[in-house]
Amino acid sequence: LIFKGNDGGSTVTALSLDISEAGAATFNAGATFGGDVTLSGASSPKIRITDTTNTCILDLRANDSDALIRTTSNHPMILNTNQKDRIQIAANGDISFFEDTGSSPKLHWDASAESLGVGTSSLTTNATLSVGQGGVHVDGGASGGASQVILSTGASSGSNFGQISNTGTRWSLGYGGTPQTKGTEVLTWDSSGNVLVGGTSLDASGS
């Protein structure tokens, strides 16, 4: 069934309806609906949107046990609110989270390098975590627990772990230990300026 009309003296096809069992409708341009649009079926029904300039394709699909939003072309997917980019997922799996203006990514996951950038999208070579200007804050909590940075390699275990600790009254470099428990301290200092290298006590004499 074909609906045609006259557009400035030219005959145009406005709508084509396939009346067969398969059924289909083809609009010459856009379509506006005054209510909900429901798409249902037993074989993963989907909506496909294609920009033909560079064949950028977006699929919205309902499967038997999950729902799928994807691009089926080599293009990124962008989540945008208030006309500002918030999240971008590249075709290669990289993920970027943007700051409030939507112009600069400030949390970036490099899928191939398996590395995360915080405050930067320029990751340091061979680094699992790269931090931009602003540094890292590790909070041990209000209960007074030790806050720590643990340094390790794939071969590290037990006393091979490097450790930077803050127990609330003193700071130290050491090794070993477990999270929230300081290990063996080799360099210790406190807020009074006392420094201890080795040893077991820290006082004003530095011994």
Side-chain angles (χ1 to χ4, degrees):
L1 182 61
I2 299 175
F3 293 85
K4 293 187 176 183
N6 188 290
D7 184 8
S10 300
T11 301
V12 296
T13 300
L15 172 63
S16 298
L17 298 176
D18 184 348
I19 310 300
S20 67
E21 184 177 354
T26 302
F27 296 88
N28 192 46
T32 301
F33 300 90
D36 296 341
V37 176
T38 301
L39 181 66
S40 61
S43 302
S44 301
K46 70 181 178 184
I47 297 175
R48 170 164 289 185
I49 305 171
T50 303
D51 184 297
T52 58
T53 303
N54 294 305
T55 317
C56 182
I57 304 172
L58 172 68
D59 279 355
L60 308 176
R61 192 175 78 190
N63 297 319
D64 291 341
S65 57
D66 57 37
L68 176 69
I69 302 175
R70 69 178 184 184
T71 60
T72 58
S73 55
N74 188 24
H75 295 91
M77 180 179 292
I78 299 173
L79 176 63
N80 182 298
T81 64
N82 196 27
Q83 301 185 44
K84 294 181 175 63
D85 291 350
R86 303 306 182 191
I87 302 173
Q88 176 175 289
I89 305 174
N92 65 356
D94 290 358
I95 304 174
S96 297
F97 294 82
F98 290 77
E99 36 70 87
D100 60 336
T101 67
S103 59
S104 300
K106 293 302 181 181
L107 182 64
H108 179 77
W109 170 252
D110 188 314
S112 62
E114 298 181 1
S115 298
L116 180 67
V118 180
T120 179
S121 57
S122 300
L123 305 188
T124 303
T125 302
N126 297 326
T128 301
L129 175 64
S130 298
V131 180
Q133 184 177 3
V136 177
H137 176 205
V138 181
D139 191 346
S143 62
S147 58
Q148 297 175 321
V149 176
I150 303 296
L151 309 175
S152 66
T153 68
S156 295
S157 62
S159 61
N160 291 327
F161 289 117
Q163 185 180 87
I164 304 172
S165 299
N166 174 13
T167 62
T169 58
R170 54 197 278 167
W171 300 263
S172 67
L173 300 178
Y175 58 89
T178 57
Q180 300 300 308
T181 303
K182 67 179 185 296
T184 301
E185 298 175 328
V186 296
L187 174 63
T188 306
W189 65 99
D190 64 18
S191 59
S192 298
N194 301 316
V195 178
L196 175 68
V197 180
T200 57
S201 64
L202 183 66
D203 55 33
S205 67
S207 60

